[in-house]
Amino acid sequence: MKSTSETAERETATEAVPAATARVLPPWARWVLLALAAAAVLYAPFYFAPFRVFQLTLVLVYAVVLLGLNLLVGYSGQISLGHGAFFAVGAYGTAILMRDGDIPYLLTLPIAAAVTFVLGLAFGVPALRLRGLYLALVTLSMAIFLPPLLKRFPELTGGSQGLSVEQPASPAWTGLAEDQWLYYVSLAVAVVAFVLVRNLLRSRAGRALLAVRENEAAAEVMGVRPSFYKTLAFAWSAMLAGVGGAVSTWVIGYVAPDSFTVVLSINLLAGLVIGGLASLSGAVYGAFFVMFVSSVAQDISGAAPGIASGLLIIAVMLIAPTGVAGLVRRLTAAARRRLAKE
Amino acid sequence: MSGFFQQVVLGLGSGAIYASLALALVLIYRFTDIVNFAQGELAMFSTYIAWQLTAAGVPFWLALPITLAVSFLGGVLIERLVIRPFEGGPELTVVIVTVGLFVFVNALAGLIWSFLVKSVPSPFPDGALDVGGVNISLQTLGTLGVVAAVMGLLFLLFQKTKIGLAMRAVANDPASARLVGIRVGRVLALGWGLSATVGAISGILVAPVLFLDPNLMGGVLVYAFAAATLGGFDSPVGAVVGGLIVGVAETLSGAYVDAIGSDLKIGVPLAIIVVVLLVRPRGLFGHAVVERV
């Protein structure tokens, strides 16, 4: 019961924001704000040092993955503790194609997407019979099993050494450095993914997903087939994780089994929760978190990131179940009310 | 043939350890319908406490009760402070919170005791019994004995004491239990405390075999999940039987199926989980959940 009212509140909040903003700010002001934000995002690779650009690129990659995870966890209410595995399949698939196949690197993206889509579909069928905790268990199993499996076939995957691939170079006509080029490529992928997911959620399928999440029996009575949409959500979600994986191989130029342990899957789920479940912008906030936690973990190999993310997960669930996205929404709503009064 | 029985005995030894952690999982699930993903990490933390005490010169048989008492209190505190606000909430939230607890406790142990591997002395003497050509080490016998004793004590607690009766009432129906005057909150806290204690025993049993580090229980947790799934998540007897079956299956397949070997052994519990969930989701001894729409 609690879940229904909470999510309902979440939904109305999402709907209310654009309408209310329009009331306070004139339309041209919204466009100006949007244009400024877009300009900042486009200018970023010229402003920051290459390493920061690399980190921002990773944020874009994780944002795509979290968008997919959100589709599954936030919008269709199924738990995955193993999304790192789909990410890994995308990343490894791309690395293997770039090593063996003589194809342009951009072509690896649709291939990775198709493979992970089919994989997600195949996985979504048994997942139908499992709910909640059991699904969490099975997806967790998948994430645990993948690294030893990758090490098992060294001819294909490079074993525990992993695979290095030649990173895509920026075309000469752009005059961009490699890191800047990769940033724009990732940005393009992320923007396309966001637009697609946004439209998807507003379509018939999106409404069906929400209906199934809120009350499966009621949705079925209304003529929505829960099994169809839940399986489809799994496939889309896996596909976006695979796309993120493919782009991450371009950006990092290296894959190894130990980058795709169960810790990655847990970090992804943590990032999603902290960023905000069932919110598009939550994926971006969450992506910053995932990037931060994984890079800090490399800098100081210690306990700090674990302690921070463990505490954050519990605190967010306790204090702000809608995550950072929900907090931002509440703050802007409060600011708007104040503006409207004056 | 004696080689085969030797493997079975080895499997029973590790199976007993999985059974004890599965028992801890099942205890919490019975009372709160929560699967505690942090169960293994709590057990690992308790093991560190025992190690710290013995390293400071406390004799093992004194360190053990202290550790168990601390674990019990820890379990109660976690239920009160962390879990209570989420009880009865959506399953997704609860799973995420225990995953958060998992990450936190794991890192906390790393912060306090570092991630270096420590060796832990076994509480049981070395040596083995020879039964018809099969070596049964005292370690294995001791582990099986401890798990049997834990099982027996839990049985006595639940069936023969007033507290046990109250606990069964809460597990059965919290609302009705509250109406007859049982303090449900206290019983739940007690359940978490008990579960943490049982988990601590499994950690102390496994540490001499696997060596102690903050990731001690990560693998064991997967086996315990398989054991609990196989036995049925709401059945303590099922947890123990499931644990023993998983242990034997793991050792036998590691020994006789070449494709599995030692690196892919983790696939055995995972396959058991998937197959059980697809074929008989309630497990061997569990009860099917009937949902009223």
Side-chain angles (χ1 to χ4, degrees):
Chain A
M1 308 322 103
K2 197 174 158 197
S3 82
T4 319
S5 63
E6 243 176 39
T7 41
E9 181 198 358
R10 204 182 292 161
E11 259 16 86
T12 47
T14 342
E15 296 307 317
V17 173
T21 322
R23 231 185 297 125
V24 178
L25 293 174
W28 60 265
R30 284 191 70 208
W31 284 111
V32 169
L33 279 179
L34 255 178
L36 279 177
V41 171
L42 286 174
Y43 184 62
F46 295 98
Y47 179 78
F48 291 109
F51 178 64
R52 294 273 166 238
V53 176
F54 169 72
Q55 286 188 321
L56 285 177
T57 312
L58 282 184
V59 168
L60 292 169
V61 169
Y62 290 132
V64 174
V65 180
L66 289 187
L67 205 57
L69 191 57
N70 212 350
L71 213 48
L72 187 72
V73 183
Y75 292 100
S76 88
Q78 308 182 78
I79 307 177
S80 170
L81 283 175
H83 245 55
F86 294 117
F87 184 71
V89 169
Y92 260 96
T94 300
I96 292 167
L97 281 174
M98 284 170 78
R99 184 195 55 182
D100 299 339
D102 214 9
I103 57 170
Y105 70 95
L106 281 175
L107 257 185
T108 60
L109 185 87
I111 297 176
V115 169
T116 43
F117 182 85
V118 172
L119 211 59
L121 209 56
F123 205 83
V125 175
L128 283 177
R129 302 196 52 177
L130 315 170
R131 48 190 65 236
L133 125 88
Y134 293 111
L135 188 56
L137 272 182
V138 171
T139 48
L140 182 75
S141 314
M142 182 176 73
I144 293 175
F145 192 52
L146 193 68
L149 196 65
L150 285 173
K151 288 180 193 169
R152 201 24 124 59
F153 300 100
E155 320 79 53
L156 190 65
T157 63
S160 36
Q161 304 290 312
L163 287 177
S164 294
V165 294
E166 201 178 322
Q167 280 180 280
S170 69
W173 54 267
T174 56
L176 291 170
E178 195 175 80
D179 57 296
Q180 293 168 329
W181 169 248
L182 286 171
Y183 173 88
Y184 286 121
V185 171
S186 312
L187 183 64
V189 172
V191 167
V192 170
F194 266 84
V195 171
L196 283 180
V197 170
R198 198 191 65 147
N199 292 349
L200 178 77
L201 288 172
R202 289 181 178 184
S203 71
R204 182 189 173 83
R207 286 192 302 275
L209 270 186
L210 291 183
V212 170
R213 180 190 70 184
E214 291 306 321
N215 189 334
E216 214 171 305
E220 204 161 1
V221 170
M222 308 277 281
V224 172
R225 248 174 66 203
S227 57
F228 177 74
Y229 285 103
K230 283 168 94 171
T231 317
L232 212 52
F234 226 107
W236 284 328
S237 170
M239 183 185 79
L240 284 168
V243 167
V247 179
S248 86
T249 299
W250 301 343
V251 173
I252 301 173
Y254 174 68
V255 286
D258 291 333
S259 335
F260 305 106
T261 58
V262 69
V263 177
L264 171 70
S265 296
I266 290 178
N267 280 342
L268 287 173
L269 186 70
L272 181 64
V273 170
I274 291 166
L277 284 167
S279 142
L280 288 180
S281 56
V284 180
Y285 304 124
F288 273 99
F289 171 84
V290 175
M291 191 278 294
F292 175 75
V293 168
S294 7
S295 65
V296 165
Q298 280 166 0
D299 291 348
I300 38 167
S301 66
I307 287 187
S309 63
L311 281 180
L312 261 177
I313 295 172
I314 297 172
V316 164
M317 291 321 281
L318 200 58
I319 304 163
T322 48
V324 177
L327 280 181
V328 169
R329 216 149 47 211
R330 259 187 271 169
L331 286 178
T332 48
R336 228 176 16 246
R337 271 197 299 278
R338 181 154 299 178
L339 274 177
K341 260 184 214 158
E342 281 167 7
Chain B
M1 204 56 198
S2 75
F4 174 78
F5 284 115
Q6 186 69 60
Q7 294 293 339
V8 171
V9 168
L10 282 177
L12 287 178
S14 43
I17 292 169
Y18 307 149
S20 55
L21 192 64
L23 208 50
L25 285 172
V26 165
L27 274 180
I28 286 185
Y29 188 78
R30 283 266 286 211
F31 289 118
T32 48
D33 277 343
I34 290 174
V35 167
N36 184 8
F37 278 79
Q39 195 76 60
E41 301 312 292
L42 296 181
M44 172 274 295
F45 204 86
S46 301
T47 313
Y48 264 109
I49 294 175
W51 174 84
Q52 186 71 67
L53 286 170
T54 46
V58 180
F60 178 80
W61 294 107
L62 183 61
L64 182 67
I66 298 177
T67 306
L68 296 185
V70 172
S71 308
F72 182 82
L73 283 179
V76 169
L77 276 180
I78 287 172
E79 197 276 339
R80 284 259 139 158
L81 298 177
V82 183
I83 303 298
R84 177 135 328 160
F86 303 105
E87 265 159 17
E91 211 165 28
L92 175 68
T93 318
V94 178
V95 168
I96 290 171
V97 168
T98 62
V99 168
L101 199 61
F102 173 103
V103 176
F104 175 72
V105 173
N106 183 286
L108 189 65
L111 185 74
I112 301 176
W113 290 290
S114 91
F115 288 91
L116 297 177
V117 174
K118 295 178 169 59
S119 84
V120 179
S122 168
F124 306 112
D126 286 338
L129 297 181
D130 190 347
V131 183
V134 177
N135 268 323
I136 307 175
S137 72
L138 294 180
Q139 168 83 31
T140 305
L141 274 182
T143 309
L144 283 168
V146 169
V147 174
V150 169
M151 197 55 205
L153 286 175
L154 284 177
F155 178 81
L156 288 181
L157 175 72
F158 284 128
Q159 302 297 331
K160 304 285 174 197
T161 67
K162 212 173 165 187
I163 297 174
L165 185 63
M167 294 183 88
R168 279 188 290 148
V170 170
N172 205 25
D173 186 344
S176 310
R178 180 168 281 130
L179 286 177
V180 297
I182 294 169
R183 302 282 295 263
V184 173
R186 283 192 193 171
V187 169
L188 295 183
L190 192 65
W192 273 75
L194 265 184
S195 165
T197 314
V198 174
I201 293 173
S202 76
I204 292 169
L205 286 175
V206 79
V209 187
L210 292 183
F211 297 105
L212 179 58
D213 77 307
N215 298 320
L216 169 74
M217 300 303 271
V220 181
L221 184 70
V222 176
Y223 288 100
F225 273 144
T229 313
L230 180 60
F233 251 99
D234 55 355
S235 160
V237 178
V240 173
V241 175
L244 295 177
I245 296 178
V246 170
V248 172
E250 177 215 2
T251 333
L252 287 183
S253 56
Y256 292 106
V257 185
D258 285 338
I260 291 179
S262 64
D263 53 337
L264 292 187
K265 243 177 14 181
I266 191 84
V268 174
L270 302 180
I272 290 176
I273 292 177
V274 173
V275 169
V276 170
L277 288 182
L278 292 181
V279 176
R280 191 181 161 90
R282 68 183 125 135
L284 295 176
F285 298 88
H287 300 278
V289 182
V290 181
E291 209 171 324
R292 186 172 165 181
V293 180

